């Protein structure tokens, strides 16, 4: 990152580097691991459509808002919000967005490191050739045995966390940019190879139908919340990451087209991952709704049958781990930039302290896959389920809602128009309607519809506990 005069942390040397970094943040486990498994859990077709609608009508306008606020403030999200609220003569309560983002990033990273650890482990086992001509039973039991062993999970979680802290502590380096430039296209090529395998696996028609045949009878109000949360999660929205990265965007870059490019890239990767995985599920009689293990049970089957599969498998899981690390780095940026600004703290020291705390919280997630799998925080959510639900389905959408309202309704019109390069006119009105009305109201409606009953249930549970 070339140092500029505008943001004290540096500036992206071009619009293209911002696209790379933002895509590096967006493309991660959310696309390759999470999207397929929650699509499977939510019945496929209709879920995918709702998710795409959320990306287009909520994700894109909110990402524009976030990047634009970041570029206007040119500091960490907390300071940016304080600065812009003061300037626009609004309440400083708006900095809540920044604080909640820091917390959300912390929670997400705690479990993200555990799952990324699984990918690290799979570099090793696919490479050793243990999946040569493997049966679905072998792939399933290999994964389950791994999950049952907390020490192994902790080992790989620790390796991933240490690598993240190390990179973050050093500051975003040239090396990372170069790596994103090479690894992202490579990941994409490997996804296409996997897709090629899936097309010939005998389950492609079924996999395709599963993803794209609209089955609206399976849609519940909660489907909307999960799809919305996924749109936020996969695009790295609602917690200040894009705001923090937006702070380093040069003034002359066009935010609208940049954001659309990033969202498209991210969506293409997610949909390709789904299309690679579901045919394997059906060709092998596996369970589409089996949950978080989906990718780790299906893809090794493909690598076990492809020529040079062990090599492909290893390279694939290296790339997935790399995609995860560029996302993990971005999860820490809002907190890190704040602490460095506020206390003039050393990046390295802050990174280590935050990382250790986050690692400790991650132990809860590790144990939810074995010893504590039946320890429920609320309802049927164990520790991992709860942290995931809270961050993805509550904190990110709430953050996004507030960001959109702030960008469109609290910032002076002149700032908005300067940032987005919109002259007063049709496009500006369109942006105001989609970004300022459709997106926030959409989030609000989904919230009221799905979370209200959840709260009601909690209150009833509390009341009945008190009564007994
Ligand atoms: N978008 C990342 C992924 O899909 C996760 C992430 C969420 C990163 C929020 C930063 C902020 O894996």
């Amino acid at each position: 990152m070339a140092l500029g005069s505008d943001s004290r942390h540096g500036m992206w040397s071009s619009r293209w580097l911002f696209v790379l970094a933002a895509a590096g943040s967006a493309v991660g486990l959310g696309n390759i691991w999470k999207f397929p498994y929650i699509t499977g859990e939510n019945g496929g077709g209709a879920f995918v459509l709702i998710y795409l609608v959320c990306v287009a009508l909520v994700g894109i306008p909110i990402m524009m808002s976030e990047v634009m606020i970041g570029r206007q403030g040119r500091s960490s999200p907390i300071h940016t919000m304080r600065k812009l609220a003061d300037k626009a003569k609004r309440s400083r309560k708006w900095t809540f967005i920044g604080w909640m983002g820091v917390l959300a990033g912390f929670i997400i990273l705690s479990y993200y490191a555990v799952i990324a650890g699984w990918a690290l482990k799979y570099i090793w086992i696919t490479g050793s050739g243990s999946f040569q001509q493997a049966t679905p039973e072998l792939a399933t039991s290999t994964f389950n045995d791994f999950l049952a062993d907390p020490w192994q999970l902790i080992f790989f979680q620790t390796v991933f966390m240490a690598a993240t802290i190390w990179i973050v502590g050093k500051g975003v380096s040239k090396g990372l940019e170069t790596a994103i430039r090479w690894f992202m296209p490579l990941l994409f090529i490997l996804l296409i190879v996997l897709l090629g395998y899936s097309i010939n696996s005998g389950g492609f028609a079924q996999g395709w139908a599963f993803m794209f045949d609209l089955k609206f009878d399976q849609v519940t109000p909660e489907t909307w919340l999960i799809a919305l949360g996924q749109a936020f999660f996969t695009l790295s929205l609602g917690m200040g990451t894009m705001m923090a990265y937006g702070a380093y965007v040069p003034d002359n870059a066009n935010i609208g087209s940049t954001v659309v490019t990033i969202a498209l890239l991210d969506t293409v990767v997610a949909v390709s991952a789904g299309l690679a995985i579901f045919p394997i599920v059906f060709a092998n009689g596996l369970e589409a709704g089996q949950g978080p293990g989906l990718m780790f049970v299906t893809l090794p089957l493909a690598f076990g049958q492809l020529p040079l599969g062990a090599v492909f498998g290893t390279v694939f899981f290296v790339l997935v781990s790399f995609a995860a690390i560029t996302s993990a780095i971005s999860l820490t940026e809002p907190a890190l930039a704040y602490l460095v600004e506020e206390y003039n703290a050393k990046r390295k020291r802050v990174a280590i302290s935050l990382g250790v705390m986050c690692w400790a919280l991650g132990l809860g997630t590790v144990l939810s896959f074995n010893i504590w799998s039946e320890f429920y925080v609320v309802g049927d959510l164990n520790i991992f389920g709860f942290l995931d639900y809270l961050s993805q389905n509550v904190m990110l959408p709430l953050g996004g809602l507030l960001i959109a309202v702030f960008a469109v309704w609290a910032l002076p019109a002149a700032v908005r128009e300067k940032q987005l390069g919109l002259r007063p006119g049709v496009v500006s009105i369109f942006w105001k309607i989609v970004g300022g009305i459709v997106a926030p109201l959409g989030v609000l409606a989904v919230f009221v519809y799905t979370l209200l009953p959840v709260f009601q249930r909690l209150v009833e549970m509390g009341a009945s506990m008190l009564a007994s």
Side-chain angles (χ1 to χ4, degrees):
M1 196 190 301
L3 276 188
S5 54
D6 311 44
S7 157
R8 65 176 280 181
H9 306 282
M11 295 282 286
W12 306 115
S13 42
S14 71
R15 172 184 107 104
W16 180 232
L17 279 183
F18 168 68
V19 174
L20 277 181
S25 165
V27 175
L29 297 173
N31 309 60
I32 302 164
W33 161 73
K34 198 168 221 181
F35 172 73
Y37 100 73
I38 59 177
T39 298
E41 284 182 338
N42 288 282
F47 176 84
V48 175
L49 179 71
I50 297 174
Y51 159 80
L52 293 176
V53 169
C54 290
V55 167
L57 289 188
V58 179
I60 291 179
I62 291 184
M63 199 193 290
M64 288 173 72
S65 302
E66 214 175 313
V67 175
M68 128 187 173
I69 292 176
R71 184 165 73 176
Q72 181 69 22
R74 292 238 184 269
S75 328
S76 70
I78 293 175
H79 284 135
T80 284
M81 288 310 301
R82 190 180 299 166
K83 209 157 55 179
L84 298 191
D86 284 353
K87 243 198 190 143
K89 302 211 169 41
R90 304 282 172 177
S91 159
R92 276 203 169 181
K93 293 210 175 80
W94 284 106
T95 45
F96 171 75
I97 296 176
W99 287 107
M100 189 174 61
V102 166
L103 187 65
F106 188 80
I107 294 177
I108 295 174
L109 182 59
S110 78
Y111 67 77
Y112 207 84
V114 177
I115 314 293
W118 301 357
L120 289 180
K121 162 84 180 183
Y122 268 67
I123 295 177
W124 178 255
I125 30 182
T126 42
S128 69
S130 33
F131 290 116
Q132 273 313 316
Q133 307 299 331
T135 57
E137 291 72 33
L138 178 76
T140 308
S141 66
T142 306
F143 182 70
N144 289 343
D145 292 348
F146 170 51
L147 277 201
D149 180 355
W151 292 112
Q152 276 210 61
L153 300 190
I154 293 174
F155 174 76
F156 289 103
Q157 170 215 13
T158 310
V159 173
F160 183 82
M161 203 56 141
T164 307
I165 296 173
W166 186 73
I167 298 174
V168 160
K170 282 187 94 95
V172 183
S173 67
K174 262 268 172 300
L176 204 65
E177 291 174 358
T178 322
I180 298 178
R181 206 186 293 239
W182 288 100
F183 282 15
M184 291 272 277
L186 208 59
L187 177 66
F188 197 64
I189 293 174
L190 273 192
L191 274 176
I192 293 176
V193 171
L194 279 172
L195 214 64
Y197 170 82
S198 280
I199 291 175
N200 296 309
S201 67
F204 193 73
Q206 238 179 317
W208 179 275
F210 180 77
M211 278 186 70
F212 298 117
D213 278 1
L214 301 179
K215 295 164 287 240
F216 281 108
D217 51 323
Q218 308 214 358
V219 174
T220 65
E222 193 158 43
T223 313
W224 282 89
L225 181 65
I226 296 172
L228 183 73
Q230 173 63 15
F232 276 96
F233 186 87
T234 189
L235 295 172
S236 307
L237 289 183
M239 56 146 283
T241 286
M242 289 298 168
M243 208 187 279
Y245 277 14
Y248 318 137
V249 175
D251 279 327
N252 57 6
N254 179 316
I255 291 182
S257 62
T258 308
V259 161
V260 171
T261 312
I262 295 163
L264 270 178
L265 255 168
D266 186 78
T267 307
V268 168
V269 174
V271 172
S272 318
L275 274 179
I277 286 175
F278 285 112
I280 304 177
V281 168
F282 294 111
N284 291 284
L286 290 163
E287 179 58 56
Q290 63 178 274
L294 185 66
M295 128 182 178
F296 295 94
V297 170
T298 48
L299 295 185
L301 292 174
F303 296 126
Q305 291 186 4
L306 281 168
L308 288 179
V311 179
F312 269 135
T314 304
V315 176
F316 177 79
F317 282 108
V318 167
L319 294 174
V320 170
S321 309
F322 182 78
I325 223 164
T326 53
S327 303
I329 292 167
S330 76
L331 279 162
T332 67
E333 188 60 26
L336 218 75
Y338 168 74
L339 291 168
V340 170
E341 281 166 11
E342 183 76 17
Y343 302 106
N344 238 330
K346 285 242 163 11
R347 242 185 119 86
K348 201 180 247 152
R349 207 169 291 165
V350 176
I352 293 175
S353 334
L354 278 178
V356 170
M357 288 191 294
C358 204
W359 173 86
L361 180 62
L363 296 178
T365 292
V366 164
L367 297 175
S368 347
F369 288 102
N370 36 66
I371 304 172
W372 286 352
S373 63
E374 313 224 327
F375 169 72
Y376 299 114
V377 184
V378 275
D380 58 354
L381 298 175
N382 61 21
I383 298 182
F384 163 67
F386 175 71
L387 293 177
D388 185 33
Y389 197 95
L390 178 69
S391 52
Q392 161 160 336
N393 296 344
V394 180
M395 297 172 94
L396 300 188
L398 180 61
L401 167 77
L402 295 174
I403 287 169
V405 171
F406 183 80
V408 178
W409 302 110
L411 277 185
V415 169
R416 218 172 40 232
E417 269 140 24
K418 180 190 101 190
Q419 283 296 340
L420 293 178
L422 303 178
R423 285 193 208 99
V426 187
V427 183
S428 159
I429 292 172
F430 176 77
W431 152 253
K432 222 172 168 165
I433 292 176
V434 179
I437 300 174
V438 176
L441 280 187
V443 175
L444 200 65
V446 172
F447 260 171
V448 171
Y449 216 62
T450 48
L451 290 180
L452 223 53
V454 174
F455 280 131
Q456 256 166 2
R457 234 187 308 149
L458 282 180
V459 171
E460 277 162 23
M461 263 166 55
S464 69
M465 261 163 66
L466 281 180
S468 63

